[in-house]
Amino acid sequence: MRGPPCARRARVLYCVRNPLPHGGPSGLDPAAIVKTLAALVRADADCAAVLNRIHERDWPELARAAAAHRAAPLLFSRLSAARALDLAPGPERVFLEREARGAGAMNALLLNEHARVVRTAAEIDAPLLALKGAHLVSSGVYRADERPMTDLDYAIRAAHAARACDALSKLGYELDAAGPGDEFTRKYAREFLLKRTVAQTPVAVELHDALIPSLALRAAFPLSADRLHDHAHADSNGFPVPCPEHALLFCILHFAVTHRFSRLIWLVDIDRMCRGFAIDWDAFEEETRQARAESAVHAALRAPRALLGTDAPDARFAVRGALPGRVIDRRAALWLAGAAPAAEISALPFALCRKPARALLRHAFPPADFIALRYGVPAVAAPAWAAARPLLLAARALRALRGKK
């Protein structure tokens, strides 16, 4: 099936970046850049007042940071709505506009695929719940040109995963051959990556029956795809979607635990859900307790309160052992900017667990068959490999943080 008319344009506009001129030395440090971006995209932003405080030499770095945090289209939308675009220098204004148009074109392609995928899954009684961008854009939390998507993520019951993969293969999708192997995926990774090309644009679909991929952290935060499906409801198109409380809780765990406070757009997602969804905070608190996620929720609601002015009851989740609010207020911008020490950022998901030492131990020393399946080593060599795993994890974390996308 051919993609929508804008599919070819999506490839051109979204994947080819408009180069920005090199500015002089920026007067803003990485944390200050994150705070400036947050001040511009927050719902009650006085964009003109913020822009008047930005030196022209800071604009190239600010625009690049907006793209890295996937907030460039939203920044362009906010400046347009505030009639403040003329306060941005010409090259940066053009860059932000192209990012917004590219995101809109790419999202149109992905939303078209989203409709096909969800409809096909429903026909074989293997319903998919849209997560993250597809859910937020299709539900009207964002316009299609405000919130960039790079793939389609769905929660699926484990019993339906194989059937859904077969159905998607008939739509032209193929399982990613570069993955860790079918047996490991079914037993431990519990996420299926399928890809196809539409009008020369790669499209990826991820099916998750475990909402946190890390084995130890999944045990620490037991929020299953089955639970999301049990409480799902239909949207205006008749497609199943998570209830507001589960959508918010998943977004918080995705932002704080899976991705360690790494992108501003996910913090804005949390803010938009708190403002736009009818959250039943009593029900949300019950779901949070069942997922043992009080500390993660406290941190992920406290940060947008400080940076985006979000009105959410973060103090309600400040349980004993949670990160103190003053620490979150002081460090959140550094985490988002990737400017905190690598060890601190790597430790964040474990610091948010009820029992950090137990989760860290499980992460460092998983079962022997996990080692054998993940790394393709003989079972007899798995104990030695497991002993070396902490060093391998530390090296990988440092490498990932240095070259973070």
Side-chain angles (χ1 to χ4, degrees), residues 43-303:
D44 57 351
D46 183 350
C47 293
V50 177
L51 293 175
N52 285 329
R53 297 196 298 267
I54 300 175
H55 195 283
E56 187 172 353
R57 71 171 182 270
D58 296 325
W59 266 101
E61 189 60 34
L62 187 68
R64 289 191 185 93
H69 285 276
R70 296 183 185 166
L74 181 58
L75 177 57
F76 179 79
S77 173
R78 296 290 299 129
L79 296 183
S80 298
R83 302 181 183 275
L85 276 173
D86 289 343
L87 297 177
E92 286 73 31
R93 186 167 62 247
V94 171
F95 175 80
L96 294 176
E97 182 177 4
R98 290 194 176 187
E99 287 284 308
R101 291 188 179 186
M106 185 68 180
N107 286 358
L109 185 154
L110 288 172
L111 290 173
N112 183 70
E113 286 299 297
H114 164 62
R116 296 177 68 228
V117 166
V118 173
R119 191 178 301 114
T120 299
E123 288 171 355
I124 61 166
D125 195 25
L128 302 176
L129 297 185
L131 303 171
K132 298 193 300 182
H135 176 214
L136 297 176
V137 173
S138 62
S139 63
V141 173
Y142 293 99
R143 290 202 320 261
D145 62 346
E146 288 183 327
R147 207 290 189 183
M149 297 189 292
T150 55
D151 56 14
L152 298 170
D153 289 84
Y154 301 99
I156 186 169
R157 294 183 188 272
H160 297 161
R163 194 158 72 244
C165 288
D166 289 341
L168 290 182
S169 69
K170 296 177 182 177
L171 294 180
Y173 286 90
E174 296 180 354
L175 278 169
D176 182 21
D182 290 345
E183 189 175 355
F184 179 84
T185 297
R186 287 194 302 271
K187 188 169 185 180
Y188 286 117
R190 311 241 318 254
E191 58 183 9
F192 302 85
L193 175 61
L194 301 101
K195 297 179 178 179
R196 74 181 293 243
T197 299
V198 181
Q200 302 179 5
T201 302
V203 174
V205 169
E206 293 185 9
L207 308 181
H208 309 264
D209 75 346
L211 301 179
I212 297 180
S214 169
L215 181 63
L217 292 172
R218 186 190 313 156
F221 300 99
L223 178 64
S224 69
D226 283 346
R227 186 157 184 81
L228 266 64
H229 276 274
D230 289 342
H231 296 268
H233 63 271
D235 66 8
S236 58
N237 297 313
F239 298 152
V241 293
C243 70
E245 295 74 29
H246 279 153
L248 177 59
L249 184 54
F250 167 76
C251 189
I252 285 173
L253 292 176
H254 177 80
F255 167 69
V257 176
T258 304
H259 290 287
R260 300 171 171 85
F261 287 77
S262 62
R263 281 203 178 96
L264 181 62
I265 190 62
W266 292 327
L267 195 69
V268 178
D269 288 347
I270 293 169
D271 173 71
R272 289 289 185 100
M273 289 185 190
C274 291
R275 295 176 188 270
F277 286 176
I279 305 291
D280 181 338
W281 290 107
D282 291 330
F284 180 77
E285 185 175 10
E286 174 62 27
E287 293 300 321
T288 297
R289 277 200 301 268
Q290 292 210 23
R292 301 200 288 265
E294 296 94 339
S295 184
V297 167
H298 173 243
L301 293 181
R302 177 90 183 199

